[in-house]
Each structure stands twice: as structure tokens, then as C-alpha cells.
Amino acid sequence: MMKLFVLFSTVLVVVLADAPLHAQKTREITKQERELEKLRKEIAAFENRLKESEKRERSTLETLDDLEQQSALIRQLVTKLKEEEKRITRDIDDAKNSIDGLERQLVALKNHYAGYVRSVYKNGRVYDIELLFSSNSMNQLLIRIEYLKRFSTQRATDLKKIVAKKEELERQNDQLQETLRNERALIAEKTKEERSLKNKAAQRQRVLNRIRMDRKTLRQELSRKTAAVKRIEQMIADLIEKERKRLEEERKKREAEAAKERERLAAAGQPVPILSIEPTGTFARRRGALRWPVSSGAIASKFGKVTHPVLRTVTENSGIDISVSVGTDVVAVAEGEVSLISFIPGYGNVVILNHYDGYRTVYAHLSEIRVVEAQKVQEGHVIGKSGDSVAGSLLHFEVWQERQKMDPEAWLAKKK
């Protein structure tokens, strides 16, 4: 009797404890569904643009941009679908465990009730009366009356509990089947998107090959790169101004707090410390020792003036281009924060990291981005994957100190 009471109490506590967790889980699933739907709409928008470009004459470079952005979105969608698949797999395992637990509880209830039925059939209600009359004291009699009353009430509710458990078991089985159907649909969508990504990669490669053979388009791409350099310069300038305002607000706040503290210390006759603001980063001390943004690859184009291999025109390179296989992990060269994520024609997908004290790094021609704006990153954190460009499969990398472009080779550690 007592064991059964403890069993039901435990089940109730577990259900109540899981309620907030279930609500949180539901919110997370809803958020994931919204993110997936947003990605699907953005991918569809680019697909419409690509179809429109077939109907009217659009620049080959514009088509390349659309393909690049759409491919990045599809990769992002596939990644999220894989995460969703893992979540559903966990939900299926949890559901199966829950169903197993319910089945065990149902068996226990049925066994308890069957035992009671056998006892009544064997002994009849006369046994209960004999139990009461055999009490040694009034106190024992009252205890036995209460026990039999509770025992009888418990038996009367056992049938209801058995029915409730059975209904819960059937409900969870239905949910499990629905989850399994969702998993199958998700796997089908993931397979479709992976196939689409492969087709887009082939289409993009064909466009790249056409561009590389067309001197006119190459000149257009060179102009886009010059414009991209100006765009990066403006982005850096905007980030510096934004950072300046933020730091100014923080400085004023600290000074106000320090003034109050000085007044308090002066009133108490204690020495007043001098306010000093220490640098927040260590990037400056890493010159010549920074880790490389990719684990392999060679410098294909150096910092400064470079001559185009086909057009023979001289342009300015704001960073270095590292020749590396498409899909190579690109990592943060030092601790920092993601300041900006953007797409720039000529540079493709771009990520800018803030390393504090005025230092920033730029990573361009990314085929995939694995971070979000304002995210804190540690040295070696994967921020994305390298991609392809008109100039070949490479990563473009820049180092900035305030508004000044620095030669990244002077900052990166020497390769052994």
C-alpha cells in the first residue's frame, strides 16, 4: 500500500517538475521553426531572382553574387536541418523511454489490483472484520479502521489510474508516430537541399569558368574589388565611430561612479585612488605571433600593389589572399567579438572581428558563416569556411589598426 502511494507521488512530482522544462522546449522548437522558415523564404527569393536573370540580360557577376548568397543560405539551412534531426532523434529516444516507463507503471498497477481481487475472492470481507476485532487496543482499532478505509479507497481508484495510464500510453504512442513521420519528412528535405546545394555549386562553377575566360568581365570584377576595398574602409570607419561613442558612454559612466566613490572615501578620511583605464585587449602584443586563419595554404597575393595575372593592371591589395581548398575551416586569429557580417560584391561573404584597442581583422570569400553579430569568440574559434572566387579558391584576410591597413604577414606567425 505505502509503496504504491510513493510510486504515484513520485510520478506526480516528476510530471510537475518537467512542466517548465517542456514549456521552454516548446519555445525553442517554435524559434527554430521560425528560423527555418525565414531561411526557406530567403532561398526562394534568390531562386526567383536567378529565374528572372534568365529572362532578361543581367550581369554574369550579379548572377554569381546571387548564386553565392543562395548557396550560403542553403548551407545554413542544411546545418539547421541536421541540428533539427538530432533534436528529433533525442525526442524519439525520450518518448520511447517514457513509453517504457508508462508500460512498467501500468503492469505494476495491474499486478497490485489483481492481488487485491485475489485477496477479496479468497478471504472475502469477513477477513476485514476479523482484523478489526483482533485489535489489542482502541488506538490500534482506530489505526486499522483508517488503514482499511484508505486501502479500500486506493483499490477503488486503481481502475481509474489503470485507464488513465493506458490512455496516456496510447497518446504518447500517437505522438511518437507523428515524430517519426516528422523525422522522415525532415530527412527528405535535408537530402533535397543537399542535392540542390550540389547543383548550385556546379552552376556557380560554370559561371566562374565563363568569367575567367572573359576579359571584359574580369575588368568588371576588378572594378568591383576596388569598390569592395572602399566599402570595407567605410565599414571600418563606421565601426570605429560606433565603438568611440560606446567607449565614451562607458568612460562617462565610470567617471561618475569613480567621483561618487572618491567623495565617499574622502568623507571617510581614506586615501583616494587615481582612476586608470587599462587596455582591454592583447592583440598589439601578438605582432609576429598570430595564428593563421586557416591551417594550410600559401599566400597567393601579398599586401600592397599587385599585378593582375591576365589584365596586367596594378591594383592595391588591402590584405593577403591565402590559396586554400574550398570548405576549409576559417578561425579567429585572436580573441574578439563579431562586429559585422555582410555580403560585398567582389569579396563575397565577409566577417569583421573586433579585437579591442582599435584592432580588427577581416575575413572574406567565405562559403559559409558559423557566427552571429555581437558573438564573443576565442582564438581558434571556427567562424566559417573558405570559398571560391573569380581569382580561385582562397581566403582574403586583412588586419586593421584603427583606420590603417596593416600587412597581415607582419602579424602572422612564421610558418615552420
PDB file of all heavy atoms in Angstrom, residues 283-292 299 302-304 318-320 333 359 397-401 404-415:
ATOM      1  N   PHE A 283      45.894  42.152 -28.430  1.00  0.00           N
ATOM      2  CA  PHE A 283      46.229  41.955 -29.843  1.00  0.00           C
ATOM      3  C   PHE A 283      47.567  42.603 -30.201  1.00  0.00           C
ATOM      4  O   PHE A 283      48.369  42.008 -30.938  1.00  0.00           O
ATOM      5  CB  PHE A 283      45.110  42.532 -30.722  1.00  0.00           C
ATOM      6  CG  PHE A 283      45.174  42.093 -32.150  1.00  0.00           C
ATOM      7  CD1 PHE A 283      44.507  40.943 -32.577  1.00  0.00           C
ATOM      8  CD2 PHE A 283      45.893  42.817 -33.090  1.00  0.00           C
ATOM      9  CE1 PHE A 283      44.558  40.535 -33.908  1.00  0.00           C
ATOM     10  CE2 PHE A 283      45.949  42.414 -34.421  1.00  0.00           C
ATOM     11  CZ  PHE A 283      45.286  41.277 -34.824  1.00  0.00           C
ATOM     12  N   ALA A 284      47.806  43.796 -29.713  1.00  0.00           N
ATOM     13  CA  ALA A 284      49.033  44.530 -30.065  1.00  0.00           C
ATOM     14  C   ALA A 284      50.289  43.749 -29.721  1.00  0.00           C
ATOM     15  O   ALA A 284      51.305  43.843 -30.424  1.00  0.00           O
ATOM     16  CB  ALA A 284      49.043  45.886 -29.361  1.00  0.00           C
ATOM     17  N   ARG A 285      50.232  42.966 -28.649  1.00  0.00           N
ATOM     18  CA  ARG A 285      51.413  42.202 -28.223  1.00  0.00           C
ATOM     19  C   ARG A 285      51.604  40.931 -29.043  1.00  0.00           C
ATOM     20  O   ARG A 285      52.613  40.245 -28.871  1.00  0.00           O
ATOM     21  CB  ARG A 285      51.284  41.833 -26.736  1.00  0.00           C
ATOM     22  CG  ARG A 285      51.180  43.048 -25.826  1.00  0.00           C
ATOM     23  CD  ARG A 285      51.529  42.683 -24.387  1.00  0.00           C
ATOM     24  NE  ARG A 285      50.612  41.719 -23.808  1.00  0.00           N
ATOM     25  CZ  ARG A 285      49.507  42.055 -23.145  1.00  0.00           C
ATOM     26  NH1 ARG A 285      49.185  43.339 -22.996  1.00  0.00           N
ATOM     27  NH2 ARG A 285      48.713  41.138 -22.647  1.00  0.00           N
ATOM     28  N   ARG A 286      50.652  40.639 -29.925  1.00  0.00           N
ATOM     29  CA  ARG A 286      50.722  39.393 -30.696  1.00  0.00           C
ATOM     30  C   ARG A 286      51.375  39.585 -32.064  1.00  0.00           C
ATOM     31  O   ARG A 286      51.383  38.655 -32.873  1.00  0.00           O
ATOM     32  CB  ARG A 286      49.308  38.820 -30.896  1.00  0.00           C
ATOM     33  CG  ARG A 286      48.527  38.571 -29.607  1.00  0.00           C
ATOM     34  CD  ARG A 286      49.089  37.388 -28.828  1.00  0.00           C
ATOM     35  NE  ARG A 286      49.083  36.188 -29.624  1.00  0.00           N
ATOM     36  CZ  ARG A 286      48.008  35.445 -29.838  1.00  0.00           C
ATOM     37  NH1 ARG A 286      46.845  35.787 -29.309  1.00  0.00           N
ATOM     38  NH2 ARG A 286      48.095  34.341 -30.562  1.00  0.00           N
ATOM     39  N   ARG A 287      51.896  40.748 -32.347  1.00  0.00           N
ATOM     40  CA  ARG A 287      52.513  41.016 -33.653  1.00  0.00           C
ATOM     41  C   ARG A 287      53.618  40.001 -33.939  1.00  0.00           C
ATOM     42  O   ARG A 287      54.527  39.804 -33.136  1.00  0.00           O
ATOM     43  CB  ARG A 287      53.093  42.428 -33.680  1.00  0.00           C
ATOM     44  CG  ARG A 287      53.619  42.856 -35.047  1.00  0.00           C
ATOM     45  CD  ARG A 287      54.203  44.260 -34.977  1.00  0.00           C
ATOM     46  NE  ARG A 287      54.774  44.654 -36.260  1.00  0.00           N
ATOM     47  CZ  ARG A 287      54.111  45.251 -37.241  1.00  0.00           C
ATOM     48  NH1 ARG A 287      52.840  45.539 -37.088  1.00  0.00           N
ATOM     49  NH2 ARG A 287      54.698  45.574 -38.379  1.00  0.00           N
ATOM     50  N   GLY A 288      53.520  39.345 -35.087  1.00  0.00           N
ATOM     51  CA  GLY A 288      54.506  38.336 -35.477  1.00  0.00           C
ATOM     52  C   GLY A 288      54.246  36.970 -34.873  1.00  0.00           C
ATOM     53  O   GLY A 288      55.000  36.026 -35.133  1.00  0.00           O
ATOM     54  N   ALA A 289      53.160  36.847 -34.082  1.00  0.00           N
ATOM     55  CA  ALA A 289      52.887  35.570 -33.409  1.00  0.00           C
ATOM     56  C   ALA A 289      51.427  35.145 -33.538  1.00  0.00           C
ATOM     57  O   ALA A 289      51.007  34.168 -32.917  1.00  0.00           O
ATOM     58  CB  ALA A 289      53.259  35.672 -31.935  1.00  0.00           C
ATOM     59  N   LEU A 290      50.634  35.856 -34.349  1.00  0.00           N
ATOM     60  CA  LEU A 290      49.217  35.490 -34.522  1.00  0.00           C
ATOM     61  C   LEU A 290      49.095  34.145 -35.224  1.00  0.00           C
ATOM     62  O   LEU A 290      49.873  33.834 -36.132  1.00  0.00           O
ATOM     63  CB  LEU A 290      48.494  36.534 -35.371  1.00  0.00           C
ATOM     64  CG  LEU A 290      48.008  37.821 -34.707  1.00  0.00           C
ATOM     65  CD1 LEU A 290      47.309  38.677 -35.748  1.00  0.00           C
ATOM     66  CD2 LEU A 290      47.086  37.556 -33.544  1.00  0.00           C
ATOM     67  N   ARG A 291      48.112  33.374 -34.808  1.00  0.00           N
ATOM     68  CA  ARG A 291      47.845  32.124 -35.517  1.00  0.00           C
ATOM     69  C   ARG A 291      47.264  32.454 -36.889  1.00  0.00           C
ATOM     70  O   ARG A 291      46.671  33.512 -37.095  1.00  0.00           O
ATOM     71  CB  ARG A 291      46.893  31.234 -34.731  1.00  0.00           C
ATOM     72  CG  ARG A 291      45.457  31.697 -34.720  1.00  0.00           C
ATOM     73  CD  ARG A 291      44.552  30.735 -33.986  1.00  0.00           C
ATOM     74  NE  ARG A 291      44.499  29.457 -34.665  1.00  0.00           N
ATOM     75  CZ  ARG A 291      44.265  28.303 -34.067  1.00  0.00           C
ATOM     76  NH1 ARG A 291      44.055  28.282 -32.750  1.00  0.00           N
ATOM     77  NH2 ARG A 291      44.227  27.176 -34.732  1.00  0.00           N
ATOM     78  N   TRP A 292      47.396  31.544 -37.833  1.00  0.00           N
ATOM     79  CA  TRP A 292      46.866  31.748 -39.172  1.00  0.00           C
ATOM     80  C   TRP A 292      45.361  31.495 -39.168  1.00  0.00           C
ATOM     81  O   TRP A 292      44.883  30.648 -38.401  1.00  0.00           O
ATOM     82  CB  TRP A 292      47.571  30.815 -40.166  1.00  0.00           C
ATOM     83  CG  TRP A 292      48.929  31.329 -40.561  1.00  0.00           C
ATOM     84  CD1 TRP A 292      49.992  31.526 -39.741  1.00  0.00           C
ATOM     85  CD2 TRP A 292      49.341  31.739 -41.873  1.00  0.00           C
ATOM     86  NE1 TRP A 292      51.060  32.021 -40.442  1.00  0.00           N
ATOM     87  CE2 TRP A 292      50.689  32.167 -41.759  1.00  0.00           C
ATOM     88  CE3 TRP A 292      48.730  31.782 -43.119  1.00  0.00           C
ATOM     89  CZ2 TRP A 292      51.425  32.637 -42.848  1.00  0.00           C
ATOM     90  CZ3 TRP A 292      49.451  32.244 -44.204  1.00  0.00           C
ATOM     91  CH2 TRP A 292      50.783  32.675 -44.070  1.00  0.00           C
ATOM     92  N   ILE A 299      50.280  31.898 -49.484  1.00  0.00           N
ATOM     93  CA  ILE A 299      49.862  33.242 -49.881  1.00  0.00           C
ATOM     94  C   ILE A 299      49.918  33.359 -51.397  1.00  0.00           C
ATOM     95  O   ILE A 299      50.974  33.217 -52.022  1.00  0.00           O
ATOM     96  CB  ILE A 299      50.756  34.310 -49.218  1.00  0.00           C
ATOM     97  CG1 ILE A 299      50.560  34.277 -47.700  1.00  0.00           C
ATOM     98  CG2 ILE A 299      50.408  35.700 -49.759  1.00  0.00           C
ATOM     99  CD1 ILE A 299      51.446  35.230 -46.939  1.00  0.00           C
ATOM    100  N   LYS A 302      50.032  39.062 -52.170  1.00  0.00           N
ATOM    101  CA  LYS A 302      50.547  39.754 -50.992  1.00  0.00           C
ATOM    102  C   LYS A 302      49.862  41.099 -50.773  1.00  0.00           C
ATOM    103  O   LYS A 302      49.105  41.581 -51.618  1.00  0.00           O
ATOM    104  CB  LYS A 302      52.061  39.946 -51.117  1.00  0.00           C
ATOM    105  CG  LYS A 302      52.857  38.658 -50.997  1.00  0.00           C
ATOM    106  CD  LYS A 302      54.343  38.932 -51.134  1.00  0.00           C
ATOM    107  CE  LYS A 302      55.152  37.664 -50.870  1.00  0.00           C
ATOM    108  NZ  LYS A 302      55.148  37.297 -49.444  1.00  0.00           N
ATOM    109  N   PHE A 303      50.179  41.703 -49.648  1.00  0.00           N
ATOM    110  CA  PHE A 303      49.659  43.014 -49.264  1.00  0.00           C
ATOM    111  C   PHE A 303      50.313  44.096 -50.130  1.00  0.00           C
ATOM    112  O   PHE A 303      51.492  44.013 -50.464  1.00  0.00           O
ATOM    113  CB  PHE A 303      49.966  43.250 -47.789  1.00  0.00           C
ATOM    114  CG  PHE A 303      49.587  44.613 -47.279  1.00  0.00           C
ATOM    115  CD1 PHE A 303      48.269  44.909 -46.950  1.00  0.00           C
ATOM    116  CD2 PHE A 303      50.556  45.605 -47.125  1.00  0.00           C
ATOM    117  CE1 PHE A 303      47.925  46.162 -46.471  1.00  0.00           C
ATOM    118  CE2 PHE A 303      50.214  46.856 -46.643  1.00  0.00           C
ATOM    119  CZ  PHE A 303      48.896  47.139 -46.319  1.00  0.00           C
ATOM    120  N   GLY A 304      49.538  45.101 -50.497  1.00  0.00           N
ATOM    121  CA  GLY A 304      50.090  46.230 -51.265  1.00  0.00           C
ATOM    122  C   GLY A 304      49.767  46.131 -52.746  1.00  0.00           C
ATOM    123  O   GLY A 304      48.746  45.578 -53.146  1.00  0.00           O
ATOM    124  N   SER A 318      44.352  45.168 -49.964  1.00  0.00           N
ATOM    125  CA  SER A 318      44.245  45.639 -48.575  1.00  0.00           C
ATOM    126  C   SER A 318      44.674  44.596 -47.552  1.00  0.00           C
ATOM    127  O   SER A 318      44.807  44.901 -46.369  1.00  0.00           O
ATOM    128  CB  SER A 318      42.806  46.055 -48.266  1.00  0.00           C
ATOM    129  OG  SER A 318      42.428  47.111 -49.107  1.00  0.00           O
ATOM    130  N   GLY A 319      44.850  43.356 -48.023  1.00  0.00           N
ATOM    131  CA  GLY A 319      45.270  42.293 -47.116  1.00  0.00           C
ATOM    132  C   GLY A 319      46.100  41.283 -47.866  1.00  0.00           C
ATOM    133  O   GLY A 319      46.922  41.658 -48.716  1.00  0.00           O
ATOM    134  N   ILE A 320      45.884  40.025 -47.560  1.00  0.00           N
ATOM    135  CA  ILE A 320      46.549  38.954 -48.298  1.00  0.00           C
ATOM    136  C   ILE A 320      45.489  37.948 -48.739  1.00  0.00           C
ATOM    137  O   ILE A 320      44.438  37.827 -48.108  1.00  0.00           O
ATOM    138  CB  ILE A 320      47.632  38.231 -47.458  1.00  0.00           C
ATOM    139  CG1 ILE A 320      47.028  37.635 -46.182  1.00  0.00           C
ATOM    140  CG2 ILE A 320      48.794  39.151 -47.157  1.00  0.00           C
ATOM    141  CD1 ILE A 320      47.984  36.756 -45.387  1.00  0.00           C
ATOM    142  N   VAL A 333      41.794  34.626 -35.490  1.00  0.00           N
ATOM    143  CA  VAL A 333      43.237  34.616 -35.223  1.00  0.00           C
ATOM    144  C   VAL A 333      43.536  35.018 -33.787  1.00  0.00           C
ATOM    145  O   VAL A 333      44.650  34.807 -33.293  1.00  0.00           O
ATOM    146  CB  VAL A 333      43.993  35.540 -36.201  1.00  0.00           C
ATOM    147  CG1 VAL A 333      43.840  35.046 -37.620  1.00  0.00           C
ATOM    148  CG2 VAL A 333      43.522  36.986 -36.076  1.00  0.00           C
ATOM    149  N   TYR A 359      42.024  47.335 -32.867  1.00  0.00           N
ATOM    150  CA  TYR A 359      42.465  46.304 -33.817  1.00  0.00           C
ATOM    151  C   TYR A 359      41.280  45.479 -34.323  1.00  0.00           C
ATOM    152  O   TYR A 359      40.428  45.056 -33.543  1.00  0.00           O
ATOM    153  CB  TYR A 359      43.499  45.382 -33.167  1.00  0.00           C
ATOM    154  CG  TYR A 359      44.825  46.067 -32.921  1.00  0.00           C
ATOM    155  CD1 TYR A 359      45.111  46.637 -31.685  1.00  0.00           C
ATOM    156  CD2 TYR A 359      45.787  46.149 -33.923  1.00  0.00           C
ATOM    157  CE1 TYR A 359      46.325  47.279 -31.451  1.00  0.00           C
ATOM    158  CE2 TYR A 359      47.002  46.781 -33.706  1.00  0.00           C
ATOM    159  CZ  TYR A 359      47.257  47.344 -32.465  1.00  0.00           C
ATOM    160  OH  TYR A 359      48.465  47.979 -32.245  1.00  0.00           O
ATOM    161  N   PHE A 397      42.238  37.946 -46.258  1.00  0.00           N
ATOM    162  CA  PHE A 397      42.413  38.247 -44.837  1.00  0.00           C
ATOM    163  C   PHE A 397      43.076  39.608 -44.675  1.00  0.00           C
ATOM    164  O   PHE A 397      44.069  39.908 -45.347  1.00  0.00           O
ATOM    165  CB  PHE A 397      43.273  37.151 -44.187  1.00  0.00           C
ATOM    166  CG  PHE A 397      43.617  37.406 -42.751  1.00  0.00           C
ATOM    167  CD1 PHE A 397      42.645  37.383 -41.764  1.00  0.00           C
ATOM    168  CD2 PHE A 397      44.933  37.673 -42.377  1.00  0.00           C
ATOM    169  CE1 PHE A 397      42.961  37.627 -40.433  1.00  0.00           C
ATOM    170  CE2 PHE A 397      45.263  37.907 -41.052  1.00  0.00           C
ATOM    171  CZ  PHE A 397      44.278  37.891 -40.073  1.00  0.00           C
ATOM    172  N   GLU A 398      42.506  40.434 -43.791  1.00  0.00           N
ATOM    173  CA  GLU A 398      43.057  41.772 -43.538  1.00  0.00           C
ATOM    174  C   GLU A 398      43.239  42.010 -42.040  1.00  0.00           C
ATOM    175  O   GLU A 398      42.516  41.443 -41.218  1.00  0.00           O
ATOM    176  CB  GLU A 398      42.111  42.850 -44.097  1.00  0.00           C
ATOM    177  CG  GLU A 398      41.894  42.780 -45.596  1.00  0.00           C
ATOM    178  CD  GLU A 398      40.920  43.845 -46.096  1.00  0.00           C
ATOM    179  OE1 GLU A 398      40.555  44.737 -45.292  1.00  0.00           O
ATOM    180  OE2 GLU A 398      40.531  43.787 -47.275  1.00  0.00           O
ATOM    181  N   VAL A 399      44.210  42.904 -41.720  1.00  0.00           N
ATOM    182  CA  VAL A 399      44.436  43.354 -40.342  1.00  0.00           C
ATOM    183  C   VAL A 399      44.398  44.880 -40.345  1.00  0.00           C
ATOM    184  O   VAL A 399      45.055  45.517 -41.173  1.00  0.00           O
ATOM    185  CB  VAL A 399      45.802  42.868 -39.802  1.00  0.00           C
ATOM    186  CG1 VAL A 399      46.043  43.431 -38.393  1.00  0.00           C
ATOM    187  CG2 VAL A 399      45.868  41.347 -39.775  1.00  0.00           C
ATOM    188  N   TRP A 400      43.622  45.441 -39.425  1.00  0.00           N
ATOM    189  CA  TRP A 400      43.486  46.890 -39.318  1.00  0.00           C
ATOM    190  C   TRP A 400      43.841  47.372 -37.909  1.00  0.00           C
ATOM    191  O   TRP A 400      43.498  46.723 -36.923  1.00  0.00           O
ATOM    192  CB  TRP A 400      42.048  47.318 -39.624  1.00  0.00           C
ATOM    193  CG  TRP A 400      41.643  47.192 -41.060  1.00  0.00           C
ATOM    194  CD1 TRP A 400      41.400  46.029 -41.748  1.00  0.00           C
ATOM    195  CD2 TRP A 400      41.417  48.254 -41.983  1.00  0.00           C
ATOM    196  NE1 TRP A 400      41.050  46.299 -43.037  1.00  0.00           N
ATOM    197  CE2 TRP A 400      41.042  47.668 -43.224  1.00  0.00           C
ATOM    198  CE3 TRP A 400      41.492  49.644 -41.895  1.00  0.00           C
ATOM    199  CZ2 TRP A 400      40.747  48.423 -44.346  1.00  0.00           C
ATOM    200  CZ3 TRP A 400      41.192  50.400 -43.020  1.00  0.00           C
ATOM    201  CH2 TRP A 400      40.830  49.797 -44.231  1.00  0.00           C
ATOM    202  N   GLN A 401      44.523  48.522 -37.863  1.00  0.00           N
ATOM    203  CA  GLN A 401      44.712  49.233 -36.599  1.00  0.00           C
ATOM    204  C   GLN A 401      44.039  50.589 -36.776  1.00  0.00           C
ATOM    205  O   GLN A 401      44.544  51.445 -37.520  1.00  0.00           O
ATOM    206  CB  GLN A 401      46.191  49.429 -36.254  1.00  0.00           C
ATOM    207  CG  GLN A 401      46.385  50.142 -34.917  1.00  0.00           C
ATOM    208  CD  GLN A 401      47.843  50.424 -34.605  1.00  0.00           C
ATOM    209  OE1 GLN A 401      48.707  50.256 -35.469  1.00  0.00           O
ATOM    210  NE2 GLN A 401      48.124  50.855 -33.392  1.00  0.00           N
ATOM    211  N   GLN A 404      43.993  52.330 -40.272  1.00  0.00           N
ATOM    212  CA  GLN A 404      45.203  51.989 -41.029  1.00  0.00           C
ATOM    213  C   GLN A 404      45.249  50.500 -41.375  1.00  0.00           C
ATOM    214  O   GLN A 404      45.134  49.638 -40.507  1.00  0.00           O
ATOM    215  CB  GLN A 404      46.452  52.362 -40.213  1.00  0.00           C
ATOM    216  CG  GLN A 404      47.746  52.131 -40.975  1.00  0.00           C
ATOM    217  CD  GLN A 404      48.961  52.476 -40.137  1.00  0.00           C
ATOM    218  OE1 GLN A 404      48.837  52.950 -39.003  1.00  0.00           O
ATOM    219  NE2 GLN A 404      50.141  52.248 -40.684  1.00  0.00           N
ATOM    220  N   LYS A 405      45.436  50.206 -42.682  1.00  0.00           N
ATOM    221  CA  LYS A 405      45.588  48.821 -43.120  1.00  0.00           C
ATOM    222  C   LYS A 405      46.997  48.355 -42.785  1.00  0.00           C
ATOM    223  O   LYS A 405      47.965  49.067 -43.047  1.00  0.00           O
ATOM    224  CB  LYS A 405      45.371  48.706 -44.636  1.00  0.00           C
ATOM    225  CG  LYS A 405      44.072  49.294 -45.138  1.00  0.00           C
ATOM    226  CD  LYS A 405      44.121  49.476 -46.647  1.00  0.00           C
ATOM    227  CE  LYS A 405      42.969  50.342 -47.126  1.00  0.00           C
ATOM    228  NZ  LYS A 405      43.061  50.668 -48.545  1.00  0.00           N
ATOM    229  N   MET A 406      47.091  47.160 -42.225  1.00  0.00           N
ATOM    230  CA  MET A 406      48.387  46.603 -41.851  1.00  0.00           C
ATOM    231  C   MET A 406      48.717  45.412 -42.759  1.00  0.00           C
ATOM    232  O   MET A 406      47.821  44.751 -43.274  1.00  0.00           O
ATOM    233  CB  MET A 406      48.366  46.131 -40.385  1.00  0.00           C
ATOM    234  CG  MET A 406      47.720  47.107 -39.414  1.00  0.00           C
ATOM    235  SD  MET A 406      48.688  48.596 -39.164  1.00  0.00           S
ATOM    236  CE  MET A 406      50.008  47.974 -38.140  1.00  0.00           C
ATOM    237  N   ASP A 407      50.002  45.140 -42.910  1.00  0.00           N
ATOM    238  CA  ASP A 407      50.422  43.957 -43.671  1.00  0.00           C
ATOM    239  C   ASP A 407      50.211  42.719 -42.792  1.00  0.00           C
ATOM    240  O   ASP A 407      50.917  42.550 -41.793  1.00  0.00           O
ATOM    241  CB  ASP A 407      51.894  44.078 -44.066  1.00  0.00           C
ATOM    242  CG  ASP A 407      52.357  42.911 -44.929  1.00  0.00           C
ATOM    243  OD1 ASP A 407      51.558  41.973 -45.140  1.00  0.00           O
ATOM    244  OD2 ASP A 407      53.516  42.927 -45.369  1.00  0.00           O
ATOM    245  N   PRO A 408      49.257  41.847 -43.134  1.00  0.00           N
ATOM    246  CA  PRO A 408      48.991  40.674 -42.283  1.00  0.00           C
ATOM    247  C   PRO A 408      50.208  39.773 -42.079  1.00  0.00           C
ATOM    248  O   PRO A 408      50.341  39.143 -41.029  1.00  0.00           O
ATOM    249  CB  PRO A 408      47.888  39.934 -43.051  1.00  0.00           C
ATOM    250  CG  PRO A 408      47.202  40.990 -43.845  1.00  0.00           C
ATOM    251  CD  PRO A 408      48.298  41.915 -44.258  1.00  0.00           C
ATOM    252  N   GLU A 409      51.085  39.716 -43.068  1.00  0.00           N
ATOM    253  CA  GLU A 409      52.275  38.861 -42.938  1.00  0.00           C
ATOM    254  C   GLU A 409      53.149  39.288 -41.774  1.00  0.00           C
ATOM    255  O   GLU A 409      53.857  38.464 -41.171  1.00  0.00           O
ATOM    256  CB  GLU A 409      53.087  38.880 -44.233  1.00  0.00           C
ATOM    257  CG  GLU A 409      52.541  37.972 -45.305  1.00  0.00           C
ATOM    258  CD  GLU A 409      53.533  37.755 -46.422  1.00  0.00           C
ATOM    259  OE1 GLU A 409      54.410  36.870 -46.273  1.00  0.00           O
ATOM    260  OE2 GLU A 409      53.436  38.469 -47.445  1.00  0.00           O
ATOM    261  N   ALA A 410      53.136  40.587 -41.452  1.00  0.00           N
ATOM    262  CA  ALA A 410      53.944  41.078 -40.326  1.00  0.00           C
ATOM    263  C   ALA A 410      53.350  40.660 -38.986  1.00  0.00           C
ATOM    264  O   ALA A 410      54.025  40.692 -37.952  1.00  0.00           O
ATOM    265  CB  ALA A 410      54.055  42.599 -40.403  1.00  0.00           C
ATOM    266  N   TRP A 411      52.079  40.265 -39.001  1.00  0.00           N
ATOM    267  CA  TRP A 411      51.378  39.904 -37.777  1.00  0.00           C
ATOM    268  C   TRP A 411      51.278  38.396 -37.576  1.00  0.00           C
ATOM    269  O   TRP A 411      51.277  37.917 -36.430  1.00  0.00           O
ATOM    270  CB  TRP A 411      49.959  40.509 -37.784  1.00  0.00           C
ATOM    271  CG  TRP A 411      49.966  41.979 -37.530  1.00  0.00           C
ATOM    272  CD1 TRP A 411      50.170  42.971 -38.461  1.00  0.00           C
ATOM    273  CD2 TRP A 411      49.809  42.636 -36.278  1.00  0.00           C
ATOM    274  NE1 TRP A 411      50.124  44.195 -37.855  1.00  0.00           N
ATOM    275  CE2 TRP A 411      49.906  44.023 -36.511  1.00  0.00           C
ATOM    276  CE3 TRP A 411      49.580  42.188 -34.981  1.00  0.00           C
ATOM    277  CZ2 TRP A 411      49.784  44.963 -35.501  1.00  0.00           C
ATOM    278  CZ3 TRP A 411      49.455  43.132 -33.959  1.00  0.00           C
ATOM    279  CH2 TRP A 411      49.565  44.489 -34.218  1.00  0.00           C
ATOM    280  N   LEU A 412      51.196  37.655 -38.679  1.00  0.00           N
ATOM    281  CA  LEU A 412      51.049  36.190 -38.576  1.00  0.00           C
ATOM    282  C   LEU A 412      52.365  35.534 -38.194  1.00  0.00           C
ATOM    283  O   LEU A 412      53.453  35.999 -38.576  1.00  0.00           O
ATOM    284  CB  LEU A 412      50.547  35.633 -39.906  1.00  0.00           C
ATOM    285  CG  LEU A 412      49.151  36.078 -40.336  1.00  0.00           C
ATOM    286  CD1 LEU A 412      48.860  35.591 -41.745  1.00  0.00           C
ATOM    287  CD2 LEU A 412      48.092  35.576 -39.359  1.00  0.00           C
ATOM    288  N   ALA A 413      52.253  34.435 -37.439  1.00  0.00           N
ATOM    289  CA  ALA A 413      53.446  33.693 -37.043  1.00  0.00           C
ATOM    290  C   ALA A 413      54.113  33.081 -38.280  1.00  0.00           C
ATOM    291  O   ALA A 413      53.441  32.734 -39.258  1.00  0.00           O
ATOM    292  CB  ALA A 413      53.059  32.580 -36.067  1.00  0.00           C
ATOM    293  N   LYS A 414      55.433  33.000 -38.249  1.00  0.00           N
ATOM    294  CA  LYS A 414      56.168  32.412 -39.378  1.00  0.00           C
ATOM    295  C   LYS A 414      55.870  30.919 -39.454  1.00  0.00           C
ATOM    296  O   LYS A 414      55.896  30.227 -38.437  1.00  0.00           O
ATOM    297  CB  LYS A 414      57.664  32.638 -39.231  1.00  0.00           C
ATOM    298  CG  LYS A 414      58.086  34.092 -39.118  1.00  0.00           C
ATOM    299  CD  LYS A 414      57.680  34.881 -40.373  1.00  0.00           C
ATOM    300  CE  LYS A 414      58.074  36.351 -40.233  1.00  0.00           C
ATOM    301  NZ  LYS A 414      57.531  37.182 -41.344  1.00  0.00           N
ATOM    302  N   LYS A 415      55.589  30.446 -40.655  1.00  0.00           N
ATOM    303  CA  LYS A 415      55.325  29.018 -40.827  1.00  0.00           C
ATOM    304  C   LYS A 415      56.638  28.246 -40.766  1.00  0.00           C
ATOM    305  O   LYS A 415      57.644  28.669 -41.317  1.00  0.00           O
ATOM    306  CB  LYS A 415      54.634  28.765 -42.175  1.00  0.00           C
ATOM    307  CG  LYS A 415      53.169  29.182 -42.153  1.00  0.00           C
ATOM    308  CD  LYS A 415      52.435  28.591 -43.333  1.00  0.00           C
ATOM    309  CE  LYS A 415      50.937  28.829 -43.204  1.00  0.00           C
ATOM    310  NZ  LYS A 415      50.172  28.208 -44.287  1.00  0.00           N
TER     311      LYS A 415
END
